[in-house]
């Protein structure tokens, strides 16, 4: 790797990669602050996102999808249910299992969080960037989409 540092193009790409990583981490943190997610852990937030994206699921299927033991997932879901974010009902094919869903209040909070994040982004773009810079930012977004597609 030290040989690559002597190549200015490689050194520049490494520096950009580091700056981009730090910037994305900071932006993610700032967006989480704007969403007012409360005192939930990262794993609890991930489960809420999965249930929103994929719909109701059993403890076993959620545990498998998140790569944790069913007992651990059960604890995560207990916290979400106690906070009014999730609800459970017997699984029709196997009444021994519980199918978990997000509550309507949770779905509203998710929606409100998205609106808050987009509002913060909109206000920041409009107040901190001149029109030409907004166009540059739009171009940068197109470039960043290539990361996601790679």
């Amino acid at each position: 790797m030290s040989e690559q540092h002597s190549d200015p193009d490689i050194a520049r790409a490494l520096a950009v990669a580091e700056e981009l990583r730090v910037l994305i981490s900071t932006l993610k943190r700032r967006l989480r602050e704007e969403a007012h997610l409360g005192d939930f852990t990262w794993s609890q937030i991930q489960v809420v996102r999965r249930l929103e994206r994929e719909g109701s699921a059993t403890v076993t299927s959620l545990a498998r999808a998140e790569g944790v033991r069913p007992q651990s997932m059960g604890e995560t879901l207990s916290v979400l249910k106690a906070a009014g974010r999730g609800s459970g009902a017997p699984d029709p094919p196997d009444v021994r299992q519980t199918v978990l869903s997000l509550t309507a209040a949770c779905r509203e909070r998710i929606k409100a969080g998205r609106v808050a994040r987009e509002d913060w982004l909109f206000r920041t773009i409009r107040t901190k960037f001149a029109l030409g810079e907004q166009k540059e930012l739009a171009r940068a977004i197109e470039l960043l989409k290539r990361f996601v597609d790679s």
Side-chain angles (χ1 to χ4, degrees), residues 37-38 45 53 57 86 111 150:
L37 297 172
I45 292 168
R53 225 180 19 252
K111 203 179 298 183
S150 65

Side-chain angles (χ1 to χ4, degrees), residues 47-48 51-52 56 85-87 100-104 106-107 110:
V47 170
V48 168
L51 287 170
E52 181 199 19
S56 301
R85 300 286 173 90
S87 63
L100 294 129
S101 304
L102 298 178
T103 62
C106 182
R107 290 186 184 284
I110 290 168

Side-chain angles (χ1 to χ4, degrees), residues 32 37 40-50 80:
R32 272 195 305 270
L37 297 172
F40 291 103
T41 65
W42 181 245
S43 59
Q44 292 162 348
I45 292 168
Q46 288 299 99
V47 170
V48 168
R49 287 182 178 158
R50 181 173 298 280
L80 294 174

Side-chain angles (χ1 to χ4, degrees), residues 63-124:
R64 191 176 312 115
E66 293 294 320
V68 299
R69 295 183 338 238
Q71 296 84 352
S72 298
M73 183 56 66
E75 292 172 21
T76 297
L77 294 168
S78 291
V79 171
L80 294 174
K81 287 181 357 186
R85 300 286 173 90
S87 63
D91 186 9
D94 182 358
V95 293
R96 296 170 298 166
Q97 295 246 24
T98 300
V99 175
L100 294 129
S101 304
L102 298 178
T103 62
C106 182
R107 290 186 184 284
E108 284 302 313
R109 188 152 183 185
I110 290 168
K111 203 179 298 183
R114 281 195 183 111
V115 168
R117 291 188 303 270
E118 287 177 15
D119 182 59
W120 175 77
L121 286 165
F122 171 77
R123 284 182 289 109
T124 302

Side-chain angles (χ1 to χ4, degrees), residues 7-19:
D7 182 332
D9 292 337
I10 292 174
R12 183 175 35 259
L14 285 169
V16 169
E18 180 181 2
E19 287 184 45

